[in-house]
Amino acid sequence: MNAQELIARYEAGQTQFTGVSVSGANLFNADLIGIDLRQADLHGTILVFAYLSRAKLNKSNLQGAKLSGANLNQASLTGANLHSADLHGATLQEADLRSADLTLATLLDANLINADLRGAKLSGANLTGACLRGANLREEKRIYTAQLVGTILCQVDLQGSDLKGAELPKVNLSGANLREVNLRDANLTGADLTGADLTGAYLTDANLTGAKLAGAILTQAKLERVWLMDADLAEVSLEGALLPDARLSKANLTRANLAKARLNRADLSRATLKNANLEEASLIEAYCARTDFTGANFRQANLVRAELSSAVLTWVEWQGATMPDGSDYVGSAE
Amino acid sequence: MSISLLIDEIASTLDQHKNALRIRKLLFCACHQRWEGDRKVLEQLDLARLLQEFYSNNLTLDQCTESLFHIVNHLNRQGEYTKVANFIIAELEKLYEIIAESTEFFPPLEVTEFTPINSYQISLSKIAAQLDQHPEVLRLRKLIYCACYNKWENNPHVLMGFNLTEELLTLREQNQSLDDLSLTLQVIVKSLNRKATYAKISNVLLSQMGLLYPQSTQEEKTVLRVAPQSLPSPVKPPPAYEIEEVTSPLNHGSVSYDSLALDLWAEPPLEETGLIEPSAIQDSIPTPAPPPKSATYDPFKVRLEVMKYANPLRAKILVYSVLHPTFDGSSADWSNLRSQTLNYLLFELYNQYSEYSELANQLYTTLSHLDYPEENAQVAEAILQAIKPYYS
C-alpha cells in the first residue's frame, strides 16, 4: 500500500490497517489519529510531524522510521520495533512503550511524560534532553526490566521517578534532573552524573563505585550504605545528606560541602577531603585511615570515636568541634 | 435607531468599500482569533452578524481599536490594514455613540431596590439574570469561576454550563465583606494579562454584588478603584493566569485542548502592559504583592512547561529561528538543531531578551515567517507562559 492510498482510506473512515506494509512511504505531517497499525510494516517510513496520538502500533515494525516531531500521545507501542528510529522532539506523553525495542533510537528532546517504559530496550539510545517525568521504568519481576546499558541520558528530566534497582552502569546522566528520584539498590557503577541535581534523591544501598559526580547537587539526599569507592565527588553539595555507613574509600571529595551531613560509621579511608566543609557534620565512629583533610572545616562537627590517627589534619578548623575522645576542642591561645 | 438596524447599515457601508474583503478578513480574525485567507469563506460570511459579534466582544470603541490594531501589528501588510482598521473604527463610532446612551445597564437607582437583604435568594437570581445579559458574560463567568474555585477556566461549555445563582451565593459566602470580595477580585485581575478589561468586568461584578452586602449602599464604594484600608489577613492569591494555564494537571478532563489553545491565542500577553489602568489596578493593591515568581531560572521547569503544551521539535525550530534568523531548514541548520538541546535553546532565548515584551514580539515576528502559523502560535504561547515567571 502506498501513502496516498492509506491516507485516502483513512479519510474515508477506515481505521483498521492491521498488518499492512507501508514501509518507506512518506507520511509527513499526516493526520492518522487513532489509526490501527498493529503489526504493520512501517520500517523506514517518514512520519515526521505526523499525528499518531492514540494510534495502535503494537508489535509494528518501525525500525529506522523517521518520527521526529511526531505526536504519539497515548499511542500504544507495546512490543514495537523502534530500533534506530528517529524520535527527535517527538511527543510520547502517556504512550505505552512496554517491551518496545528502542535500541540505538534517537529520543533527543522527546516528551516521555508519564510514558510506560517497563521492559523497554533502550541500550545505546540517545535520550539527551528528554522529559521522563512520571515515566515508569520500574523493575518488575525481571520480565519488565528496562535495559538502559550505555543509554545517553544527559539533561533528562526524571524528577520523582522510580528507578529502584535499575541497571544503569556507565550511563551518562550528566546535568540530569534527578530530584527526589528513587535509585535505591540501583547499579550506577562508572556512571557519569557530573552536575546532576540529585536533591533529596534516594540512593540507599546504590552502587556508585567509580561514578563521576563532580559538581553534582546531593543536598538532603539519602545515601545510607551507598558504595562510592573511587567516585569523583569534587565540589559536590552534600549538605544535610544522610551517609551513615557509606563506603567512600579513595573517593575525591575536594571542596565538597558536607555541612550538617551524617557520616556516622562511614569509611573515608584514603579519601581526599581537601578544603571540604564539614561544619556541624556528624562523623561518629567514622573510619578515616590516611584520609586527607587538609584545610577542612570541622567547626561544631561531632567526631566522637572517629578513627583519625593516620589522617592528614593540616590547617584544619576545629572551633566548637567534639573530638574523638568526647572532649570539646580546646584551641591554642589566640 | 435600533442597534441591529445600525449594524446592518454599517455592514452595507463596509461592503461597499474597495477593501471589503480585507475588512472581512480583519473582522473575522478579531472574532475567531485565526486568519482566514479563503475568499469563498469570507464572501459567504454574514457581515452584519460578524459586526454584531465583534461589537459584543468589545465594550468600548477603545477596545475595538485595541483588538483591531493588535491584529494589524502582526500582519505583513501593516500599511494597508491600518487604513482598513481606521475605516472600520470610524464606522463603528456611530454605533458606540448610540450605545453610550443605553450603556447604563445598572443604574444606581435600581440598585437601591435590592438593599439590604438578608435572604439573598431573590436578589441573587435577579443579579444573575442581570449579569447574564451583560455583553461580557463569558468573561464575567470566567472571573466568577476563578474567584469561587481558585482556578482559571477557559472552556465555554463549562463556563456557560454552571448555575450563576449558585456561584454568586458561593462567592457571597466566601467573602464576608465587600472589601474581601474586592480584594479577591483584585488579586485575580492583577494576575491576568488583560488587566484593564477584567478590571472593568470586576467593577461590574462588584457593583452588582454590593447589593448583597448590607453596608454598601453607594456603589462608588464597591468599585475596584477604592483601596481597602484595613484589610483582614490577605486572601491567598489564586495562581496567576499564566501559571495556572501551564501547571494544571496533565489530564485536562473536560477541558478541550483546542479551546485552551484558542484562548491562549486569543489573549496573548503581547504589549499588554500598556493597557493597564494604573489608577484602577495598582493603587488598589495596598502591598505590591507580585504573582509568585521564582528568582532563579529553572531550566527543567521551563522545559517541562513548554513540553506539556507544545511540540518539542516545533519549539526548537521556533527558538532556533529567533536566535538564528538565517534558519532556512538547510542540512547544516538541522544538524545544529540536533546538537543544541531544547534546554540550552530556551536558556539562550531567556538570556538574549532582557524584556519580556521584546521576547514576545520577537517570537511572534519570527513565527509569521514560518510554516504552520497556528501550531507555531501555540508553541510561542507555551514558551511565553513557561518563561514569564522569570521576568520581573
Side-chain angles (χ1 to χ4, degrees):
Chain A
M1 193 183 290
N2 61 26
Q4 285 72 28
E5 192 185 342
L6 179 84
I7 292 169
R9 284 211 219 162
Y10 176 82
E11 282 176 355
Q14 185 183 339
T15 54
Q16 297 283 330
F17 295 92
T18 321
V20 298
S21 173
V22 237
S23 65
N26 188 351
L27 290 160
F28 176 85
N29 206 37
D31 180 347
L32 298 167
I33 291 168
I35 196 167
D36 186 347
L37 282 162
R38 278 176 292 176
Q39 292 164 37
D41 184 4
L42 293 150
H43 82 265
T45 303
I46 297 163
L47 287 154
V48 176
F49 285 125
Y51 292 91
L52 287 159
S53 48
R54 294 206 172 175
K56 294 185 184 78
L57 289 152
N58 317 49
K59 293 190 177 170
S60 62
N61 181 5
L62 282 155
Q63 185 164 358
K66 306 278 177 272
L67 284 151
S68 46
N71 186 324
L72 285 152
N73 285 356
Q74 296 179 22
S76 187
L77 287 146
T78 55
N81 179 3
L82 284 150
H83 195 290
S84 309
D86 183 4
L87 288 145
H88 176 201
T91 296
L92 291 140
Q93 205 164 316
E94 290 177 51
D96 189 352
L97 287 151
R98 278 176 297 161
S99 302
D101 185 356
L102 286 150
T103 310
L104 295 169
T106 300
L107 285 148
L108 172 65
D109 285 318
N111 173 353
L112 286 157
I113 299 169
N114 295 332
D116 195 343
L117 285 155
R118 281 175 294 170
K121 297 182 186 78
L122 285 155
S123 305
N126 183 356
L127 281 103
T128 300
C131 187
L132 288 142
R133 290 255 188 135
N136 195 346
L137 282 154
R138 213 171 54 230
E139 182 181 14
E140 205 168 85
K141 294 175 193 163
R142 295 219 171 264
I143 314 157
Y144 275 139
T145 311
Q147 291 175 21
L148 291 150
V149 182
T151 309
I152 304 162
L153 291 156
C154 311
Q155 295 179 37
V156 292
D157 190 343
L158 277 158
Q159 184 168 330
S161 28
D162 188 356
L163 287 161
K164 189 182 173 204
E167 282 295 321
L168 295 156
K170 292 186 183 169
V171 152
N172 185 348
L173 275 159
S174 58
N177 177 9
L178 298 166
R179 293 170 211 159
E180 290 117 38
V181 163
N182 182 4
L183 281 160
R184 277 167 183 266
D185 294 307
N187 180 6
L188 283 154
T189 48
D192 187 352
L193 288 149
T194 312
D197 188 347
L198 286 142
T199 307
Y202 294 86
L203 286 151
T204 308
D205 295 306
N207 191 348
L208 285 142
T209 306
K212 299 184 188 85
L213 284 143
I217 304 160
L218 287 146
T219 312
Q220 308 285 345
K222 284 89 187 163
L223 296 137
E224 298 95 335
R225 298 175 299 280
V226 72
W227 304 73
L228 276 162
M229 288 89 76
D230 291 304
D232 183 4
L233 290 150
E235 297 183 42
V236 293
S237 172
L238 276 158
E239 194 171 345
L242 299 179
L243 291 141
D245 305 293
R247 288 93 161 183
L248 283 153
S249 63
K250 290 189 190 166
N252 176 14
L253 284 146
T254 307
R255 285 187 297 280
N257 181 6
L258 287 149
K260 293 180 185 157
R262 296 284 166 268
L263 286 149
N264 303 339
R265 297 173 305 279
D267 179 1
L268 286 158
S269 57
R270 297 193 189 87
T272 303
L273 282 108
K274 278 185 190 170
N275 299 309
N277 179 13
L278 288 146
E279 199 164 334
E280 291 182 59
S282 176
L283 289 131
I284 301 164
E285 290 180 45
Y287 182 58
C288 305
R290 303 196 66 191
T291 309
D292 188 349
F293 284 113
T294 308
N297 174 7
F298 280 107
R299 286 167 189 252
Q300 315 290 334
N302 188 349
L303 292 143
V304 172
R305 294 190 300 280
E307 166 52 44
L308 286 167
S309 58
S310 59
V312 182
L313 296 160
T314 326
W315 311 111
V316 166
E317 290 185 59
W318 292 109
Q319 282 85 346
T322 308
M323 303 310 282
D325 60 2
S327 66
D328 289 338
Y329 173 73
V330 184
S332 50
E334 290 181 18
Chain B
M1 192 187 288
S2 81
I3 297 164
S4 60
L5 273 174
L6 192 62
I7 285 177
D8 286 343
E9 199 183 290
I10 295 169
S12 63
T13 315
L14 293 177
D15 257 348
Q16 281 156 24
H17 193 271
K18 64 179 163 64
N19 273 327
L21 199 65
R22 287 193 172 139
I23 290 173
R24 281 169 179 258
K25 282 183 182 175
L26 202 52
L27 285 170
F28 184 87
C29 185
C31 293
H32 301 280
Q33 283 76 45
R34 67 180 173 88
W35 192 254
E36 180 58 67
D38 192 333
R39 197 188 179 100
K40 278 185 193 164
V41 175
L42 291 162
E43 279 169 352
Q44 277 167 12
L45 291 170
D46 181 348
L47 189 60
R49 268 180 71 182
L50 203 58
L51 274 172
Q52 177 71 51
E53 199 181 337
F54 181 67
Y55 158 67
S56 53
N57 286 340
N58 294 277
L59 278 176
T60 64
L61 196 62
D62 279 351
Q63 281 179 28
C64 290
T65 315
E66 177 199 316
S67 306
L68 293 177
F69 278 95
H70 180 74
I71 301 164
V72 172
N73 287 340
H74 288 112
L75 299 173
N76 43 1
R77 294 172 192 263
Q78 285 193 12
E80 301 283 336
Y81 277 98
T82 303
K83 286 178 205 157
V84 171
N86 281 331
F87 185 73
I88 298 172
I89 293 157
E91 282 300 310
L92 286 174
E93 209 170 346
K94 300 172 196 166
L95 188 61
Y96 285 93
E97 275 166 12
I98 292 259
I99 306 309
E101 293 145 31
S102 54
T103 37
E104 297 290 315
F105 284 111
F106 321 110
L109 279 176
E110 213 178 301
V111 163
T112 48
E113 287 171 22
F114 304 124
T115 51
I117 301 159
N118 291 328
S119 159
Y120 310 126
Q121 231 29 62
I122 301 157
S123 53
L124 266 173
S125 50
K126 278 189 185 174
I127 293 169
Q130 284 269 32
L131 293 176
D132 262 342
Q133 281 164 22
H134 196 276
E136 285 278 57
V137 61
L138 199 63
R139 287 199 167 125
L140 265 165
R141 280 175 172 260
K142 283 183 183 180
L143 193 61
I144 293 162
Y145 189 94
C146 187
C148 289
Y149 300 108
N150 208 24
K151 175 175 171 296
W152 193 257
E153 178 59 65
N154 278 318
N155 188 339
H157 300 295
V158 174
L159 291 164
M160 295 313 288
F162 69 70
N163 184 333
L164 194 57
T165 313
E166 283 173 20
E167 301 305 303
L168 290 175
L169 183 64
T170 311
L171 206 58
R172 171 65 183 83
E173 283 168 355
Q174 281 176 1
N175 296 278
Q176 289 310 303
S177 72
L178 199 59
D179 276 351
D180 285 356
L181 179 63
S182 173
L183 184 66
T184 305
L185 296 174
Q186 275 167 28
V187 173
I188 299 168
V189 169
K190 208 164 182 273
S191 69
L192 299 172
N193 44 5
R194 295 216 151 201
K195 294 184 177 62
T197 310
Y198 279 98
K200 285 174 196 158
I201 305 276
S202 171
N203 282 341
V204 169
L205 182 60
L206 278 170
S207 70
Q208 287 293 296
M209 289 298 285
L211 316 174
L212 302 174
Y213 293 94
Q215 286 159 347
S216 64
T217 45
Q218 297 171 316
E219 87 266 39
E220 277 92 341
K221 276 190 178 176
T222 68
V223 297
L224 200 55
R225 221 164 269 115
V226 178
Q229 288 308 309
S230 55
L231 287 168
S233 58
V235 179
K236 185 175 155 269
Y241 165 45
E242 292 79 15
I243 310 284
E244 172 61 28
E245 291 300 338
V246 286
T247 52
S248 53
L250 294 176
N251 302 321
H252 283 285
S254 62
V255 183
S256 90
Y257 191 75
D258 285 347
S259 72
L260 181 78
L262 194 69
D263 219 71
L264 279 166
W265 173 223
E267 302 186 6
L270 256 188
E271 298 163 328
E272 295 285 39
T273 41
L275 305 173
I276 305 167
E277 292 175 0
S279 61
I281 317 285
Q282 282 159 3
D283 293 352
S284 59
I285 304 291
T287 48
K293 273 177 189 159
S294 303
T296 47
Y297 183 88
D298 183 340
F300 292 106
K301 190 155 195 284
V302 172
R303 185 179 69 189
L304 176 71
E305 298 305 336
V306 170
M307 278 198 180
K308 278 202 273 187
Y309 298 101
N311 182 300
L313 189 56
R314 283 200 201 286
K316 285 183 82 170
I317 293 169
L318 179 59
V319 179
Y320 188 88
S321 307
V322 172
L323 299 169
H324 307 272
T326 52
F327 179 83
D328 58 0
S330 66
S331 56
D333 280 332
W334 280 109
S335 124
N336 279 339
L337 211 54
R338 280 181 187 273
S339 66
Q340 300 179 3
T341 59
L342 181 57
N343 249 4
Y344 171 81
L345 290 167
L346 288 167
F347 190 56
E348 282 289 292
L349 188 72
Y350 174 69
N351 277 339
Q352 187 141 333
Y353 294 94
S354 52
E355 294 291 326
Y356 176 76
S357 57
E358 199 190 338
L359 168 68
N361 268 331
Q362 198 52 51
L363 277 171
Y364 280 103
T365 309
T366 306
L367 80 85
S368 66
H369 302 304
L370 294 174
D371 294 336
Y372 308 103
E374 268 183 49
E375 280 94 338
N376 282 315
Q378 190 192 323
V379 171
E381 272 308 317
I383 293 170
L384 287 170
Q385 302 293 344
I387 221 162
K388 197 176 185 180
Y390 307 98
Y391 281 96
S392 52

